Amino acid sequence: MRDGEAHVLTAEADRTVMETIRDAGIDELQALCGGCCSCATCHVFIQEDYMRLLPSMNEDENDLLDGSEHRQEGSRLSCQIRITDSLNRIVVQIAPED
Ligand code: FES
């Protein structure tokens, strides 16, 4: 959550981080485009240890994140991160709203 409150969610393999958060009823993550990589309202910060485990960012994701004033080292769009076994216990924080 944005305020630092922690939620432990169970993620199904092959779902995205965005879908996992949204399906848990956490409405701070707007995900307005539904995962089409066109809105950036699913911006999250990924804990450093997990960054190297993620697929690389495509140009669209990178461009959208460039439009955020809150972009930082661990920024990713959560709709572009699919849950795999290697992401077990991944920690994400919802980025502030732009
Ligand atoms: S939900 Fe719109 S970019 Fe991720």
Side-chain angles (χ1 to χ4, degrees):
M1 304 285 287
R2 289 194 178 104
D3 62 7
E5 183 187 351
H7 291 257
V8 178
L9 307 179
T10 301
E12 290 177 38
D14 215 33
R15 303 278 288 165
T16 66
V17 171
M18 178 277 279
E19 291 167 332
T20 303
I21 295 171
R22 181 194 61 194
D23 294 351
I26 297 171
D27 58 8
E28 284 183 9
L29 195 83
Q30 294 181 19
L32 293 176
C33 77
C36 298
C37 199
S38 62
C39 72
T41 60
C42 66
H43 184 181
V44 294
F45 302 135
I46 306 291
Q47 206 176 47
E48 189 180 345
D49 296 350
Y50 288 93
M51 286 299 286
R52 66 183 170 80
L53 302 175
L54 300 181
S56 37
M57 193 180 295
N58 67 27
E59 196 176 323
D60 288 342
E61 181 178 1
N62 191 39
D63 288 348
L64 282 167
L65 285 169
D66 268 348
S68 171
E69 62 184 87
H70 303 290
R71 185 171 189 171
Q72 57 180 247
E73 190 67 32
S75 285
R76 292 297 303 257
L77 296 181
S78 58
C79 70
Q80 301 302 301
I81 302 169
R82 205 157 283 284
I83 300 293
T84 62
D85 288 346
S86 65
L87 298 181
N88 188 26
R89 300 188 181 276
I90 188 171
V91 176
V92 307
Q93 179 180 5
I94 299 173
E97 209 170 344
D98 280 309

